[in-house]
Amino acid sequence: MFYHIKELQYHAKPERPDPIFARQLQEVIGGQFGEISVALQYLFQGWNVRGNGKYKDLLMDTGAEELAHIEMLATMVARLLDGAPVGDLETAAKDPIIGAILGGMNPQHAIVSGLGAMPADSNGKKWTADYIIASGNLLADFRANLNAESQGRLQVARLYAATNDKGVKDMLSWLLARDTMHQNQWLAAIKELEEKENVVVPSTFPRELEKQEVSYTLFNFSEGNESAEGRWAHGPSMDKLGTFNYVENPVPLAKKPKLKPAPDYIFNTPPSVIRGRDDQIPPSLY
Amino acid sequence: MFYHIKELQYHAKPERPDPIFARQLQEVIGGQFGEISVALQYLFQGWNVRGNGKYKDLLMDTGAEELAHIEMLATMVARLLDGAPVGDLETAAKDPIIGAILGGMNPQHAIVSGLGAMPADSNGKKWTADYIIASGNLLADFRANLNAESQGRLQVARLYAATNDKGVKDMLSWLLARDTMHQNQWLAAIKELEEKENVVVPSTFPRELEKQEVSYTLFNFSEGNESAEGRWAHGPSMDKLGTFNYVENPVPLAKKPKLKPAPDYIFNTPPSVIRGRDDQIPPSLY
Amino acid sequence: MFYHIKELQYHAKPERPDPIFARQLQEVIGGQFGEISVALQYLFQGWNVRGNGKYKDLLMDTGAEELAHIEMLATMVARLLDGAPVGDLETAAKDPIIGAILGGMNPQHAIVSGLGAMPADSNGKKWTADYIIASGNLLADFRANLNAESQGRLQVARLYAATNDKGVKDMLSWLLARDTMHQNQWLAAIKELEEKENVVVPSTFPRELEKQEVSYTLFNFSEGNESAEGRWAHGPSMDKLGTFNYVENPVPLAKKPKLKPAPDYIFNTPPSVIRGRDDQIPPSLY
Amino acid sequence: MFYHIKELQYHAKPERPDPIFARQLQEVIGGQFGEISVALQYLFQGWNVRGNGKYKDLLMDTGAEELAHIEMLATMVARLLDGAPVGDLETAAKDPIIGAILGGMNPQHAIVSGLGAMPADSNGKKWTADYIIASGNLLADFRANLNAESQGRLQVARLYAATNDKGVKDMLSWLLARDTMHQNQWLAAIKELEEKENVVVPSTFPRELEKQEVSYTLFNFSEGNESAEGRWAHGPSMDKLGTFNYVENPVPLAKKPKLKPAPDYIFNTPPSVIRGRDDQIPPSLY
Amino acid sequence: MFYHIKELQYHAKPERPDPIFARQLQEVIGGQFGEISVALQYLFQGWNVRGNGKYKDLLMDTGAEELAHIEMLATMVARLLDGAPVGDLETAAKDPIIGAILGGMNPQHAIVSGLGAMPADSNGKKWTADYIIASGNLLADFRANLNAESQGRLQVARLYAATNDKGVKDMLSWLLARDTMHQNQWLAAIKELEEKENVVVPSTFPRELEKQEVSYTLFNFSEGNESAEGRWAHGPSMDKLGTFNYVENPVPLAKKPKLKPAPDYIFNTPPSVIRGRDDQIPPSLY
Amino acid sequence: MFYHIKELQYHAKPERPDPIFARQLQEVIGGQFGEISVALQYLFQGWNVRGNGKYKDLLMDTGAEELAHIEMLATMVARLLDGAPVGDLETAAKDPIIGAILGGMNPQHAIVSGLGAMPADSNGKKWTADYIIASGNLLADFRANLNAESQGRLQVARLYAATNDKGVKDMLSWLLARDTMHQNQWLAAIKELEEKENVVVPSTFPRELEKQEVSYTLFNFSEGNESAEGRWAHGPSMDKLGTFNYVENPVPLAKKPKLKPAPDYIFNTPPSVIRGRDDQIPPSLY
């Protein structure tokens, strides 16, 4: 169950409106690695943990915090849109700044949301749960979380560099710090799980059932041997259960597949036609 | 540039058709973490590397291999669909096995693809590039790759457990082994980058510009202190630049936001109405 | 800012597992009118209210409650999936019940989420923010909310009728009651706004700027005059500013459009070809 | 069955081309609340009415009219795109107006549709049937329709304010008037159904089967009591079957959920690891 | 402008309900090549024709007819769903037929649409305008239309073979005939345009501006020379402007690309790290 | 199985960066008819051919080549993005060129991909497999391919006209030539199949089972008789099995459908209410 308080976790006040930057900032609200993604990803992972304890609690702590980040960003976007102009070509032609705004802002910020934030990215693409994962396997999912926080902090850093507004920078410096924490926390949790389970997910699948002769092999499918220089091509594997090796000229192990014809009721191209010979087949009624 | 040879990397031949399992197997072709995802993710990451060398080569090696995995899986699906029945309720009622097939198979495998594999997941959802990422930051992206291989191997393991067909199991044991390698290789590459760059992405963002007082703080936003027991709540941070701390009762740092009214030309609810007082406003023409 | 407590708002415990019903129940988690939709719709509407007061508070109250409903439903789905079987045709053939489960359950509940709830609907379609709206105009948005609660309660009622499980029915009876309240509350808020603003959204658009001669006209574009019998075809209009009238044989008011040819650099079909005369034009190099 | 005549329902001729405004106008063709949405929503609702009579006829009348509105808007967009320039940075740099156009127009209007309208919104997002609903319950659906016409008229009003072109304004004044009618007609139909059925959808679900003790309760999940001042928190409920009440400090009614472990064949994190104790588990082969 | 009459173009009455087949039939309503696709594709192509005449009229004739086909199919689906059961595992276990229905039907046909047709395909995926095209170039678009009618008739044929219901077969035999006409008509229109414009789209692009030395070359990028046997590998080209030729061992014509580093403010992996040498870079603050 | 070499099939080097054009060029990478579409369409068609021979080989040859085209375009986009500026309104206001770039470029090229190409179109919409088809019927699919190459070459021609950059034009002239070949090759393959199978897909459906009396009829559903002038309205049909005819005033052949009421457990509007009479029904508990 959730309680909301109306105060913000941190300040979200720009020095001045900037509808172009409002559009860009949407990326970290409703983009692939925006705050909606991490909020719902952590909450669903938390709800699906089978058993309680510190991992579930950590997920719920962080999921609830990310909801507060959506709130801060939505507030910031609404303020960046304060008094945003609308207009047509005539308006654009008269004033190059308004022209730049009309070209660069998301038109839906005026037409659809009435100068409010949207659950969408910087191209106006609405958020979709296709972005997130909760698999029931925590090591897999914490890696998803570490990735999300890495991509997210990278995007916030790029946005920080793209504005001169001190109020915006102040809020972004908060988000950068929180992403630093979140990367650190998932790294700590991953380390712990890897120590308990070994590093390959899922750790409980019996190794003897996989085709172990290629479990540590790098196949060189792209000409040039630069990749052979990497740690991944020689020495003990990271899971300490094998030794990396490098195959310079990989060959196929199975022959060309030949599929059986489909039954008549599927109305595929008839086998005689597929064979591509010149034996005419009667032109329509069989 | 790419060359194709028609032989398969590994065998893809089931003992017998099974249209229900064909549907399930689609998950690892065209699902969020299927082979199309990893193939295109690695290729786009590779094409976007700014500079050449071993990382780019590794990405291209692996991307090209994943194309071969799509091919193996597509072949397997087509064979699992050999002679799949079609039918209506009357047909289903007569034969419980056919009923089970009609209920459990993807109807598009008959109607749309003519007993062929589709670039779709186990619910028939078509693959989308929303699943993938190529950010230009290799540490971030290799974490995305490690996640993808972890989720992917997890799904293949679940599919392995769900079938008795020796041919299918044989092919899946190949994919499991390759995913073991791919997890190992991204782990090796990540370790190398972390040693060079430190662990927080992006490593080049100046730390003094983030709000460092909350860079290592766990806020307890979900009641209960189980998460305080974790490594992420005390001791030196994983990036070795700070010390984790735990805030049991997090408080807001900014006051309630109050947004300015929108201009008239946006036609939002008028401010007097929002204020929610009982001062009647004239009912339509202003 | 949000705080989470781990206790549930209401019970979410089925009598027994039922993976088929788990799939169906997903509709009211991640479907068009599921709990994710209402939660995020209310929160975004609340964040975007320009001014504070009772409407914003009501939105935040209800948005936060809907988060608790997602949590209850996610818990219920996980329990309905307890020990769900996996399997292929051979398994299905042996046991008709398992066959029914394999046909009727969402395969991603096993392969992808590891027996956890997903942010998806009953066909496994992931939730998308395309479902929701926050327009900045509260009367418009409260109508969206009333619609969402009406569709939502309708779907819950259908699910209630589709199960014999007392635990599931108990939880659904809670959701039905809450949807009763939420319909009532949006009706109350709508009534208040309509009294202040009149009933046509947006109320602040000057009526003299619309083509008032057709503001209360029903055009009969579908043969048969049954619709002329309705209240909407005669008597004073609902906004009390006009009189409904009925046009039995609507006619066009503008002539056939004729569009100008596109410039050469667009490479559309050349105008001479569109004219469809038989004047041959030279076959490729112009 | 449908007959088409080539004359337009109303004029759709701008004074001059304006590719930026063409992009914006797409919102009311192919956006969430554009004309494609209302056309197909009304038609599917009409086709699915089980029984004939005035409601079905009204739906078909209005659905057919909305097709004519798509046609008018498509014509207008094509004319606004007349002779639209294409170009690169060099072109943009030379002429600020062309720069503004290239920045502000939808590039697909040149590259993909060849200066024609698209079934897409103002961000170029293609229309999707995810936007619409036909539930079989007319009271629910007429509320969806009222919402759609409210959002739609709001968007048209915003577009009206954003242009100086008299031809565009003339057409929009037609659409505004028709949306006035359509809001009025759905209000009339809703009123009639509410009088027959009472206001809570679905009216036929037995009230004694819902958890009636919370059917009229406002839970205060967002700190602050402003919402307690609303009509929705005291007095008789809108359905006249209960009395609103307000709970200032809502408490959970069920305890923390604890989910059972998943079976081995799901390969989730093992229960011993989830418990988060320090009991080492053997690192890979079980 | 459109007029609707309530009579159907052709009969749409099944002998008996069949909710499983109702789901399958949705493919040709709201699937990639269903009737919504052809209706909206032809209408948008028609609205965008720049100039009037027979092509525009043909598009509008056929677009309007396809609307009538959606109507027939929607009616058929509603009837196939008459009295469809709902239920859970207990219900499924008792009666294998009901179990087959619950497994095989689209659950949204009960929960969401209330036994009505949906603008969706056989997997419940909602229709999207991503499926269609109107490019302004009629030869290109008529080829899209021919493809749509070919795929559409193929799917209807497969559905025809999958049912024993005489009423359903009767309606499908109508659709098959209409698709025969529509394939024939687009073939006729294509032939006419090809004779006027030559066969390569767009015909107005100056041929001397393309890299003509590879305009008729088949590159053998897949091992094996079977494709060299085709008409496309020798003899005069179909546009009669060149001669087909076959390159057995295609070679690259450009060298390996090397991309420049990104600016600092993009926070990509630093160039020194990409080079992959062992020169340590300082671990975080630059 | 696939091998990659790092050399490009053809040059992909612009004279100078141009982030606006980079955005436009994305259309032919990840748009509906971009290179990802043709690559995956041909590969899936090839993998699904049931039988080997020249058609399968041709599909694999061309599919592999299209992968090389994605690579060329991705390289070009990365170079067009070299050093792309980021910035806010203040930056835009100072320099009109930068303003034009910020308005016209895809913000995700900076924020998300770090100046790399994306699997997306010119509006930033990510590629989806909804665009492609592999039906098992080669004549149908080769028509899909011909359409894709026609739309694709049209778009490349429009892009060619939109830039002055000699390097970009050089690469596009290569793609134009390859699209000329690909249109020619699919035309040749189609011609061969049509000669073997006749022109209506699927050729194997027994013609006597379709409603042959309307197999060659043009129904005039759009007022005006221009379409009667076409070849499709008179003379022998293109399949040579019938004669085209024209029906000026098409009439319905079936009466108005009337659907049965839904069962109570569906909670649709009750039949008595639908009948629309004034017989009051009791207001909530039945």
Side-chain angles (χ1 to χ4, degrees), chain C residues 61 135 153 178 210 214 227, chain D residues 61 153 178 210 214 227:
Chain C
D61 281 344
S135 73
R153 191 170 182 271
R178 297 310 296 148
E210 71 179 68
V214 292
S227 65
Chain D
D61 281 344
R153 191 171 181 272
R178 298 310 297 147
E210 71 179 68
V214 293
S227 64

Side-chain angles (χ1 to χ4, degrees), chain A residues 30-45:
Chain A
Q32 187 182 7
F33 297 108
E35 302 287 355
I36 300 178
S37 289
V38 282
L40 287 182
Q41 179 158 301
Y42 300 162
L43 293 176
F44 269 89
Q45 287 177 11

Side-chain angles (χ1 to χ4, degrees), chain C residues 149-222:
Chain C
E149 296 288 348
S150 301
Q151 305 287 349
R153 191 170 182 271
L154 177 61
Q155 295 178 2
V156 175
R158 286 165 177 168
L159 287 163
Y160 186 97
T163 180
N164 294 311
D165 187 297
K166 283 188 191 121
V168 175
K169 276 184 183 293
D170 184 50
M171 185 194 71
L172 295 180
S173 73
W174 175 271
L175 296 178
L176 283 156
R178 297 310 296 148
D179 289 353
T180 295
M181 172 59 189
H182 293 157
Q183 288 187 44
N184 271 282
Q185 82 184 37
W186 300 127
L187 280 163
I190 286 167
K191 190 164 172 249
E192 191 176 290
L193 289 176
E194 287 179 347
E195 283 166 3
K196 288 188 186 161
E197 296 198 67
N198 202 338
V199 300
V200 173
V201 168
S203 62
T204 51
F205 186 82
R207 289 290 174 94
E208 68 276 13
L209 296 181
E210 71 179 68
K211 199 71 49 186
Q212 286 173 292
E213 54 271 39
V214 292
S215 291
Y216 303 104
T217 301
L218 179 61
F219 290 121
N220 177 40
F221 281 114
S222 180

Side-chain angles (χ1 to χ4, degrees), chain E residues 61 153 158 210 214 227, chain F residues 61 135 153 178 210 214 227:
Chain E
D61 281 344
R153 191 171 182 272
R158 286 165 177 168
E210 71 178 68
V214 293
S227 65
Chain F
D61 281 344
S135 73
R153 191 171 181 272
R178 297 309 296 147
E210 71 179 67
V214 292
S227 65

Side-chain angles (χ1 to χ4, degrees), chain B residues 177-192:
Chain B
R178 298 309 296 147
D179 289 353
T180 295
M181 172 57 189
H182 293 156
Q183 287 187 44
N184 271 282
Q185 82 184 36
W186 300 127
L187 281 163
I190 286 167
K191 190 164 173 248
E192 191 175 290

